[in-house]
Structures are given as C-alpha cells and as structure tokens.
Amino acid sequence: MQRRWGFRVLGSLQVIDSGRLVELRSAKQRVLLAALLMKANAPVSSYELMEHLWGEEPSGSARATLQTYVMRLRQSLDDLADRKLVRTWPTGYSIHVEDDQLDLLTFQRLRAEARRAPDLETEARLLGEAAALWRGPALDQISSLRMEQTDVQRLNEQRWEVLERRNDAELQLGRHDQIVDELRSLVAEHPLRERFWYQLMLALHRTGQQAQALDVYRRASEVLADELGIDPNAELRALHMEVLAGSSAPVAVQSGPSWLPPAVGDFSGRADEVVRLTAGLRSGGTWTITGPGGVGKTSLAVHCAHVVRDAFPDGQLYLNLRGGEQKPVEPAAALDRLLRGLGVSGGAIPSSVEDRVDLYRDLLSDRRILVVLDNAINEAQVRPLLPGTTSGAALVTSRAALAGLEAAHVVPLDVLPSSDALALLRAAVGETRCAAEPGAAQEIVTYCGKLPLALRVAAARLVARPHWQLAKLAGRLSDERRRFDELSLGDLDVRASLALSYDGLDETHRTAFRLLSLVDTPDFPAWVASPLLRLDLDDAEDHVEALVDARLVDYAGRDALGQVRYRLHDLLRAFGREAASENPAVALKALFEQWLDLATRADVELPHQAIRLEPLALERFDLGDAADWFDAEWQNIHAVITQAAALGLGSTAAELVIRSTAFCDLRARFDDWEQINDLGLSCAPPERKPILFQQRGILCARLHNYVAASENFQAAQEGFALAGDVWGEAYAWYGMGWMHEWSGRSAEAREAHREAMSRFVASGNPHGEIEVLCSLGAIERRAGGLAAAQEYLERARRVAGQLGDEQSELMATLELGRLHQFTGELRMSAEFLRSSLAAAQKLGDPDMAANIRLFLADTLIRSGQISLAEEQLRQAWEFFEEHDDRQGRIWVWRLRSGLAATPEEAVRLASLALDQAREMDSPPEFGRSLRVLGNALERAGRVEEAREHWRQAEETLTAAGFQAEVDELRLATSY
C-alpha cells in the first residue's frame, strides 16, 4: 500500500503516516518541518530556514548543517529516493502537500469559502468546520523565536478571527443560546479580546438575561482597566447602554453619511492584514496602509471599512486625496468636502484651514465615524483630516511610508502570497477554468508578479475573452517587451499605475531606478548603486532609500553579514527596463568590475586545492568572513556571471568564475560550479582558459569522474605550457598525478608529481610543494613504503604549519591519520583524523568533512568503538545522499557490510558497493569492494566464492600499486 503522509500544525506539530501518528524526536527537525509547512507548496529560502533554526546570526557552517537536517527530514519521511515531499530549489527548499494532507491548507480553504458563502447558514457552517480543526495554540512546543513572532501569532490571530466571524453569524441567525457556553470559555481564555466580551454580552441580552449581560460588562471593564488601563471600546459601551435601556433592538443604527465605495465582490487574501485592521479600527485610532502602486491598498481599505461599518453607526466618510496625480487634493479642499458631508452648509464653512480643522474635529467629537483617506501623498496632506478624538477612527492609504504621522499604526502591504494570488485569479476567472490549466494559471500569477492590480487586469482580459485558454494569455505575458500592453484594459492599467511613482521622482532618482532595473540579481546591497551612479557609498545609499520611500524598491531584510538588502519587484524591473535608454553593457560594466574586485579579494582568503592563483597586490578584504560574504552574495554573483556573459563582457564573466570556484569547492556547490565553469569556458579570452580547464578538472575529480578530470588537466597543462606559465603548469601536472593515483597508476602518478614538484620549486610556490608531498605520502602508504610515507607527510605538515596554510596542514594531518591506521596505531590515527575533521569544519568544507568521517569510522571500527563509528557513518551518509556522491556511498556500504547484523545483510551491502564501483572505472575502489564482498561471502558460508573475490581483489590492487592493502588482505584471509 502506498504511504500517505499528513501533517497538523493547528496545535502541536503532528506527523501522520497512513493514519498513524509518528514522532519526530529531533527538535531541529520539527522546527525545519514547521517552517516548510508554514509556506507549503512554495520555496522557503535557506536564509529564512537558518533564521528559524538558529536565530538572526547563524554560524558559517549553518548552510551545511541545514543540508544535513533536510536530509534527516527526508529520511524520517521516507523521501530520500523520490523527493516528492521535500524538494530542493536554487534558493532553498519546499514541502509539497495536497489540501487534505495539511490542516492549515484545509483551514485556509474553509476561511476563503466562508467569505464567498452564498448565505449566512453556509458561512456559519464553514467557519465552524475551520474552527474545529484547532487542537490548541498553533505549533505548540516548536522552539523558534522567529516562528513565534510571525507564523504562530498570525495563525492564532486567524483562529480567533474565525471564531469571531462564526459567532457573529450564529448571533445573526438567532442561535444565541447555543454559543453562550463557548463564549464564556473564550472570554476566560482571552480576556483582552473585547469582541468576545461583546458577543457574550449580546447573546445574554438577546436571550433576556439582562442581569448576566450587565455583569459581563462589569467584568470586562475591570479586566481592561486592570490589565491595560483603558475603558471598554465604543462597541461595548453602546451595547451596555442598550442593555440598561432594556431594549432588544439592533445595537448599531446608521445615522450619518455613508460614502464608502462599493464593497469588493471578489476580495480574497490579505487575511492577516484584514484581522489586524478590522480589530484595530474597532478600537479606534489612525491606521495606515502603505505599499507600492497596484498592490491593493484601496481594495483592502474599502473591504475592511465595510467589515467594520457596524462599529461606526454615525457614518463612514471616504475621500480620494489623489496623491499619485499631478494635482493632489489640498487640505483646504478636502476639509470643505468633509464638512459638507457632515451637514455643514457652504456659507457656514470657515475660510481658513485652521478654522476648518477646528470645526471638523468639533463635529466628530464623541461621534463614532470612520474616515477613509485614500491615496495620500504625505503627512502634511493627511494630518489636518484626522479626527481629534478616540471615538472614531481613520484609515489612510499611501504609497509613501507616512512614518512621520503621529501615533499611526502602519500596515505595510507587499505582493500577495502565491496561494492568495491564485485564489484571486480563481475567484475572478472561475474555479473550473483555472483547474483545467493549473500550470498556466500559475504562470499568469508569476508573470503578474503576484501584484493584485496586474492579476485583476489579467483576469478581466480572460473574462472578456471566454474563448481564450489561460495558456494563451500566459504566453503573451511571457514576452517582457509587451507585458504591460497585455496588462491594460479600460481604466485598469498597470503601466500607468507604476508610472505615477516613477514620474514623481527627480531625474537622478529616475536614473538610479532605471539602472538598478537593468541588473539581473535577485536582490542587492546598497553599495551596488555606487558604481552604477558613480557616487560615494553614503550618497548611493540615500538614492536607494529614496526609491524605497517611493515604493519602487523593496527592503528585503538583512543578510548573514548584517548588510541591508533590497530588491525590485519583477513588474517594476520590467517597467524600469522599458523606460531605460542606457546600453546595459556600458551601464553595468563598472558594477560588474566592482563585484569582481570583491570576489577576488574574498577568494584570496579561502582555502584552495589543486590550483592556487598567483598572488596579486590587493587591498585586504574587509567585509567580514570571506566564505560568509560569498554565501550572502552567491545568488547575485551567479546572476552577474550569467548576465555579463550575455552582454558580451566575457572577460569579466570568466574572471568572476575563476575567482568563485574555491567557494563552490569549499561549500560543495558542484551544480553551480559546473554551470559557471561552462559559461566561463564559453566566453573567456584564450589566456584564461587553462585556469578554467584546471578548475573543471578539480570539479570532475570531486565528482569522481576521473577520465574527464584527466582530460581537463591535460588541456590545462598544454595551455599553461604554451603560455610559458610555469606556476599553472605545475598545478596541471599535479592534477594529472592526482588522477593517476585514483585510477591505480602509481608509477605514472609518481612521475607526474615529480614534474609538478620541479615546477613548484621553480615558480616559488611552497603551497604547491606541500600538496605534492601529501600525495607522495599517500602513494607510498598504499605501496607499503610506510617509513617514506611518514617522512613525506611530516615534512608537509611542518612546512604548512610554518606558512600558516590551514588547508595544507589539514591534508597532511588527514594523511598521517590514515597512515597510522595502516600501521595499527589506532589511537594516534583517531587523534589525527579528529583533528583534521575539526579543521575541515572550521573551514566550512562539508565535502572534506564527510570523507574524513569515513576514515575516522574505519579506525573506530578497527578499535571496536562501533557506536561511535555508526554515528560518523550516519553523518557522512547524509552528505553523500544530499550531493549524490557515488564514491562516498560505496565507502559507507563497505564499512556497514562489516557491521551488518546478519550475513545476508552483509552480502547485500557489499554487493551494492561492488556494483557501483564497477561503474566508476576506479581500480582501487573496485579492488576494495571485491575484498569486502569476499569477507561477506565467507561469513555467509560461501567460502569458494569468497576466495575467488579475494583473488580478484589482490590482482586488482596489486596492479594499482596498492601493496599495503594487498599485504593486509593476505594477512586477514586464507585462500
């Protein structure tokens, strides 16, 4: 039977395997799973996941540890092979579930259906079903400060909002007595939520229990005074007066102006903002909705104003202040309009603004009126129009931040989440039509940048053309050059909306926006504007912040180095490029060179193996840890390489590839490494191609493709020799020798290393000499020349220590650990291997660390420390699985074969290792695997088969020059 997983987050985190609860014992796994489930079916960035796991300042090794946790989670969910549940993205990870697999998705669906319910009875039922999904506080006992401050608070607020809406529906349906008991529990559990007090008081009042209703008001007043020092809100006070009067008439009776535009019929999404705004407006005060053009500020404001109409029976005023137009409404004209709406005749309206403000606020005094001020341009325009008392409330929308508006509660608005954007499209176009083309629907959402205005225009085009398939519109939107033409229909025009913000800038800020829009990076730090505009760093940051204020650039958070990062919305980027007249290759050249300069200086500080570029006279890298900087900037560097190559800046692109390779090697980013190396080779000038061939050879070696590695090292050697580059040629010879080692050609390996050593000495490169010494030590160890091996390795370690070369010292220490394993000095072997493991972890090299764990596990097994060995194997296996490292898996299978509980399991694991080794074209790995399978067969009683495998192993290892392992095989077996 196929396993089906289910997840619950509305309460404690629960994982369900085909109907059976299973426990995730690891607290970090639970945090990781919860973070993914909070954004189910959408990528969650690695930065966000690391912040959930370790807070705002994760360590340098956090990314590698995150990969390990993801692997463990996949293992717990039986998802290692298919990876259908937890998927990897360029920027992070995602979990993919159906609605019925996650209670949160079911909850969100029921909430959305309730908003569109055709009648009150259906709405009450749907809201009741949504409320019944809850088992306690959201994500109870999940230890993540970020989650507690964001997701947990948001979800719990949604829970109470659903209960409030359900209670309102039940009260309107006359079922007062049926919810009284639950309301008593709710006010006891949440005594500061005035809405629950109001609903309990109203239910008692409607059932004739006046004394009890008055007692509820008394208790609510005491709690609010004791805890918050405030009186009950206007809604509770009004109900109190009704109860005292003994009336059962409706509490709120409209008596003033009602200027609100019609309610938005297909409003969807923005659940968190709706909850916050409606609760806030009922409590009074000034609330501002800020965000870029087209993000849906007006729709949200009008929707919330209609929801809270009952709390403002004295009227609702609405005024469009036209802040995005050439002539915004002046305060004097706005006050004239508002005063007339409040019943003041034209002749009675004062002439001065100050007198108009006084009269306006006097008329609003003690009246429950909501004032909605749409499209404000700045604080000065808004300030005279705000009510002066707490009895009413004001709701303001603006593209500007309005940070100077005193005592205002700001609700910033961004583009819609993917699920809400799809819901908006479905609501407008129809469920059936979207369900028939789910891929095209998602593409439309993507091309619209999840911007509500753009989605409404796209939906309107589809509604106007019922014969169009969604794929047709998606195809037309995919062309960035005509996208804005497609996103225009009648008075809905995305280009015009964005142009209002752009046209309001001065010329220098318009130039900054256009140039930033030309850059393909997903985000950027403020310094990027400096080479683009040829400004100093402070002025560049001021320009970027001005674009943030104009809502043309978004704040994207802080990276691991503490830098503020910014981003452009996709549609704004397209708009900026449409407006740009600058030649991108010319405009971006200085910026790309700045990125190259930073990458070059950071690269110098990283460990290198098998190619270390000749030293340059460089300023010291001063932006923190070099590897952390690369981590923070990697997506941008990758994008810059791609864009520079496309723009004909091939030399810059290739040099950036060369200077980024050590980082890719350090962090085991092998896919990225292959992509950028391909780009570099395609556009590099001839004199730089040998370095790229050398780096590609290292990549192929890391992936255990020794034939391809040898070919690339050979190409590098020929190129360096032709250019007379002795330094580079030495590394190419070393690389070829390295591949001879792994391919079992010891004589050829020694000869290549001698060629390399002579050139390292001639070019004055002691770091390269150390690498050759380590390789010669390994060759002598395998050949049985243990004394010579120790001499080479001790010399390498001593010189590396004198140079302060941590990477080379690590390699020498590692090889000494393996040497002592062969000599039977297991305690010393474990000591050296643990030291090298600590060094690899300090350098942030997960690939090296995983391989060292194998050698350490082997030593621990030989010394009888099985449980410690198993832990090392487990951690190594997780890395090899995550990175599809075939050789690493072969080693783990071989070692676990020797630890297997049954002969059958031992044979199975050894056979897996042999089958994979046969495909690797590596005689040493094949010979070792033959030996281990022979051991397993002997244990299973298949002695003749075992002897045959040992004979083949001896022949293979002897031919490869691995005499020490042949001697060990002969001592351990009898055939």
Side-chain angles (χ1 to χ4, degrees):
M1 186 178 86
Q2 186 176 3
R3 301 173 75 174
R4 182 167 176 80
W5 294 92
F7 306 94
R8 296 174 182 167
V9 297
L10 304 181
S12 59
L13 177 65
Q14 290 184 348
V15 180
I16 304 157
D17 179 6
S18 303
R20 177 179 60 86
L21 275 176
V22 296
E23 182 181 359
L24 291 183
R25 292 186 175 87
S26 166
K28 293 297 187 185
Q29 273 195 55
R30 291 197 298 273
V31 171
L32 173 61
L33 176 59
L36 293 172
L37 290 171
M38 284 301 95
K39 295 184 177 179
N41 303 320
V44 185
S45 75
S46 295
Y47 291 117
E48 182 175 334
L49 292 173
M50 289 189 287
E51 190 173 339
H52 280 304
L53 288 163
W54 296 289
E56 293 183 356
E57 297 183 359
S59 67
S61 61
R63 183 178 295 276
T65 308
L66 171 63
Q67 292 174 344
T68 298
Y69 286 145
V70 171
M71 179 54 57
R72 291 177 185 172
L73 179 61
R74 284 174 170 150
Q75 196 168 24
S76 298
L77 300 177
D78 193 25
D79 194 38
L80 279 174
D82 296 337
R83 301 191 179 187
K84 291 182 178 178
L85 272 174
V86 180
R87 303 181 187 178
T88 303
W89 294 80
T91 57
Y93 301 91
S94 64
I95 190 166
H96 285 254
V97 292
E98 302 295 332
D99 281 8
D100 61 348
Q101 289 179 274
L102 176 60
D103 57 358
L104 174 57
L105 294 180
T106 305
F107 176 72
Q108 292 171 335
R109 175 179 57 79
L110 290 169
R111 288 177 66 218
E113 289 178 1
R115 289 193 189 92
R116 301 191 295 269
D119 53 65
L120 203 58
E121 185 71 47
T122 304
E123 181 182 3
R125 175 180 60 78
L126 292 169
L127 291 170
E129 291 176 12
L133 293 169
W134 286 78
R135 297 167 287 107
L139 294 172
D140 198 16
Q141 299 180 349
I142 291 294
S143 179
S144 167
L145 181 61
R146 170 169 176 157
M147 215 171 298
E148 290 170 6
Q149 294 175 340
T150 55
D151 298 313
V152 171
Q153 289 185 10
R154 173 175 56 83
L155 282 179
N156 287 332
E157 192 61 42
Q158 289 177 2
R159 179 188 185 185
W160 309 133
E161 177 255 343
V162 161
L163 282 168
E164 289 175 353
R165 289 171 55 199
R166 192 280 313 269
N167 295 340
D168 283 339
E170 296 286 358
L171 289 169
Q172 291 181 58
L173 290 166
R175 297 197 278 256
H176 318 100
D177 54 340
Q178 296 180 25
I179 62 169
V180 166
D181 290 342
E182 185 178 357
L183 284 167
R184 291 186 191 279
S185 299
L186 287 171
V187 297
E189 189 177 353
H190 301 282
L192 301 183
R193 294 192 74 89
E194 293 176 272
R195 189 65 181 165
F196 288 151
W197 287 108
Y198 171 84
Q199 289 171 336
L200 175 58
M201 190 175 171
L202 182 61
L204 293 168
H205 175 46
R206 294 266 177 89
T207 54
Q209 301 178 68
Q210 315 304 334
Q212 291 90 332
L214 292 172
D215 184 61
V216 167
Y217 182 78
R218 177 187 61 76
R219 287 190 288 126
S221 301
E222 291 174 354
V223 167
L224 294 170
D226 291 344
E227 297 294 330
L228 302 177
I230 62 173
D231 294 326
N233 64 21
E235 186 178 50
L236 268 171
R237 295 199 306 270
L239 180 55
H240 182 228
M241 295 301 295
E242 294 292 341
V243 176
L244 287 173
S247 169
S248 60
V251 174
V253 179
Q254 182 74 35
S255 61
S258 182
W259 288 1
L260 295 179
V264 182
D266 60 349
F267 185 86
S268 62
R270 306 295 191 198
D272 297 343
E273 291 84 356
V274 169
V275 169
R276 185 181 176 199
L277 284 167
T278 53
L281 290 170
R282 290 181 187 277
S283 300
T286 300
W287 293 78
T288 65
I289 303 172
T290 65
V295 82
K297 301 182 294 294
T298 299
S299 296
L300 176 62
V302 171
H303 175 77
C304 290
H306 277 280
V307 170
V308 299
R309 281 186 64 185
D310 62 310
F312 300 97
D314 296 328
Q316 305 91 41
L317 296 169
Y318 171 88
L319 199 59
N320 184 352
L321 297 177
R322 306 189 182 283
E325 301 179 17
Q326 287 188 345
K327 292 185 177 180
V329 176
E330 295 290 338
L335 286 164
D336 180 89
R337 174 81 173 111
L338 292 168
L339 288 169
R340 291 175 188 272
L342 292 169
V344 180
S345 63
I349 295 175
S351 58
S352 74
V353 171
E354 292 79 6
D355 289 341
R356 290 182 182 185
V357 170
D358 291 342
L359 177 58
Y360 170 66
R361 290 180 176 165
D362 184 58
L363 291 172
L364 293 181
S365 177
D366 297 324
R367 295 176 71 178
R368 290 172 293 170
I369 286 182
L370 172 65
V371 180
V372 180
L373 303 171
D374 200 11
N375 291 319
I377 189 170
N378 54 33
E379 295 90 339
Q381 185 190 34
V382 170
R383 200 172 283 116
L385 312 181
L386 299 177
T389 65
T390 59
S391 59
L395 180 56
V396 185
T397 76
S398 178
R399 299 187 185 202
L402 300 184
L405 208 56
E406 298 83 354
H409 307 277
V410 180
V411 178
L413 219 55
D414 201 348
V415 297
L416 289 167
S418 294
S419 57
D420 287 350
L422 277 170
L424 189 156
L425 188 66
R426 285 196 297 264
V429 176
E431 293 279 355
T432 302
R433 202 168 170 190
C434 288
E437 297 180 79
Q442 182 61 64
E443 287 179 11
I444 291 171
V445 167
T446 301
Y447 290 134
C448 289
K450 296 178 282 190
L451 193 71
L453 175 61
L455 285 165
R456 290 189 181 281
V457 177
R461 290 181 72 82
L462 289 169
V463 170
R465 294 165 177 79
H467 55 286
W468 272 19
Q469 289 187 318
L470 270 63
K472 181 178 179 67
L473 180 59
R476 294 166 74 104
L477 290 171
S478 67
D479 184 351
E480 189 176 283
R481 295 168 300 177
R482 58 178 295 174
R483 188 172 302 162
F484 288 107
D485 295 330
E486 297 295 330
L487 294 177
S488 176
L489 186 67
D491 62 347
L492 297 175
D493 189 334
V494 175
R495 181 190 282 114
S497 175
L498 301 181
L500 290 174
S501 297
Y502 175 76
D503 291 342
L505 300 172
D506 61 34
E507 183 53 39
T508 61
H509 291 131
R510 282 200 293 267
T511 301
F513 171 68
R514 290 195 309 272
L515 292 176
L516 286 170
S517 74
L518 296 176
V519 186
D520 279 347
T521 58
D523 60 28
F524 58 90
W527 67 258
V528 165
S530 176
L532 280 177
L533 299 170
R534 292 174 173 77
L535 297 172
D536 63 35
L537 290 176
D538 289 339
D539 285 345
E541 184 174 1
D542 289 344
H543 277 66
V544 174
E545 288 292 344
L547 295 176
V548 172
D549 292 341
R551 289 298 190 268
L552 291 170
V553 168
D554 291 331
Y555 169 66
R558 289 184 181 271
D559 59 29
L561 300 176
Q563 292 183 114
V564 176
R565 303 192 75 84
Y566 305 86
R567 63 169 172 249
L568 267 73
H569 182 272
D570 288 347
L571 281 178
L572 282 165
R573 188 192 305 274
F575 176 84
R577 291 180 175 184
E578 185 179 76
S581 58
E582 294 84 356
N583 181 328
V586 175
L588 302 180
K589 189 174 187 294
L591 170 61
F592 291 172
E593 289 174 348
Q594 179 68 48
W595 244 307
L596 173 58
D597 175 68
L598 291 171
T600 301
R601 289 191 278 133
D603 178 53
V604 169
E605 300 194 7
L606 297 182
H608 296 68
Q609 187 182 12
I611 181 70
R612 190 187 297 254
L613 302 179
E614 291 190 76
L616 299 172
L618 297 169
E619 293 181 27
R620 183 172 176 78
F621 185 75
D622 57 359
L623 294 179
D625 181 82
D628 288 346
W629 179 83
F630 265 111
D631 277 328
E633 292 293 342
W634 179 244
Q635 297 299 326
N636 286 344
I637 292 171
H638 198 309
V640 166
I641 291 169
T642 305
Q643 189 175 16
L647 292 175
L649 301 173
S651 178
T652 301
E655 203 63 32
L656 196 47
V657 171
I658 290 168
R659 297 298 177 173
S660 302
T661 291
F663 167 73
C664 290
D665 192 3
L666 181 68
R667 291 292 198 252
R669 302 189 75 105
F670 300 135
D671 289 344
D672 286 347
W673 187 354
E674 184 172 19
Q675 291 170 15
I676 64 171
N677 187 269
D678 283 344
L679 274 171
L681 283 169
S682 72
C683 64
E687 66 272 14
R688 300 305 276 169
K689 287 193 175 183
I691 296 175
L692 290 161
F693 280 124
Q694 177 74 9
Q695 292 178 334
R696 190 166 191 83
I698 301 168
L699 170 61
C700 293
R702 294 280 186 262
L703 299 175
H704 313 299
N705 186 347
Y706 303 128
V707 173
S710 295
E711 292 171 352
N712 280 282
F713 288 137
Q714 180 68 46
Q717 187 271 325
E718 292 170 359
F720 285 129
L722 187 64
D725 185 343
V726 179
W727 178 292
E729 195 181 359
Y731 276 114
W733 276 109
Y734 172 68
M736 289 190 286
W738 190 22
M739 290 309 94
H740 287 313
E741 285 182 61
W742 281 102
S743 301
R745 298 185 293 271
S746 297
E748 293 91 333
R750 285 189 180 93
E751 182 58 33
H753 286 323
R754 289 192 188 99
E755 294 282 354
M757 180 65 84
S758 67
R759 287 165 174 79
F760 281 134
V761 172
S763 59
N765 187 345
H767 303 283
E769 294 178 46
I770 296 170
E771 294 199 47
V772 174
L773 289 171
C774 288
S775 287
L776 290 173
I779 292 171
E780 292 303 329
R781 167 177 57 79
R782 297 177 189 123
L786 303 183
Q790 182 148 0
E791 183 179 344
Y792 280 131
L793 296 174
E794 291 288 3
R795 179 181 162 195
R797 190 165 185 246
R798 183 173 59 256
V799 175
Q802 292 168 353
L803 292 173
D805 185 344
E806 292 181 327
Q807 174 75 13
S808 296
E809 190 171 6
L810 182 163
M811 294 304 301
T813 303
L814 167 59
E815 288 299 336
L816 282 167
R818 299 191 70 189
L819 174 64
H820 287 301
Q821 183 188 94
F822 267 88
T823 60
E825 300 166 290
L826 298 179
R827 184 189 60 78
M828 192 171 290
S829 172
E831 184 178 322
F832 275 108
L833 291 171
R834 285 196 173 100
S835 176
S836 62
L837 176 59
Q841 291 173 317
K842 178 186 175 184
L843 291 170
D845 190 337
D847 179 51
M848 179 65 72
N851 282 280
I852 295 172
R853 289 186 190 281
L854 289 177
F855 309 138
L856 178 57
D858 196 358
T859 292
L860 293 170
I861 291 169
R862 291 167 187 253
S863 60
Q865 301 178 70
I866 305 304
S867 61
L868 294 177
E870 284 282 11
E871 177 59 22
Q872 296 299 330
L873 288 175
R874 183 187 62 76
Q875 294 189 51
W877 176 263
E878 288 174 349
F879 175 84
F880 297 139
E881 275 290 277
E882 180 74 17
H883 292 85
D884 194 25
D885 188 324
R886 183 169 50 179
Q887 179 165 305
R889 286 197 296 257
I890 291 170
W891 273 78
V892 174
W893 283 327
R894 284 201 302 253
L895 291 171
R896 282 187 170 159
S897 175
L899 301 175
T902 66
E904 293 76 18
E905 179 65 6
V907 170
R908 186 186 72 83
L909 291 168
S911 297
L912 282 172
L914 183 62
D915 290 343
Q916 289 288 302
R918 184 179 285 112
E919 296 177 7
M920 278 191 65
D921 192 28
S922 173
E925 293 305 312
F926 186 59
R928 289 164 175 162
S929 299
L930 282 166
R931 174 188 171 180
V932 171
L933 181 53
N935 296 345
L937 290 168
E938 181 190 41
R939 184 179 170 192
R942 297 157 62 179
V943 179
E944 287 305 316
E945 291 179 71
R947 289 173 177 167
E948 179 57 32
H949 281 80
W950 289 331
R951 275 192 291 272
Q952 292 182 44
E954 180 180 357
E955 292 173 4
T956 305
L957 292 170
T958 299
F962 282 43
Q963 191 60 44
E965 295 188 35
V966 172
D967 293 342
E968 187 178 55
L969 170 61
R970 288 171 176 167
L971 286 171
T973 61
S974 56
Y975 61 95

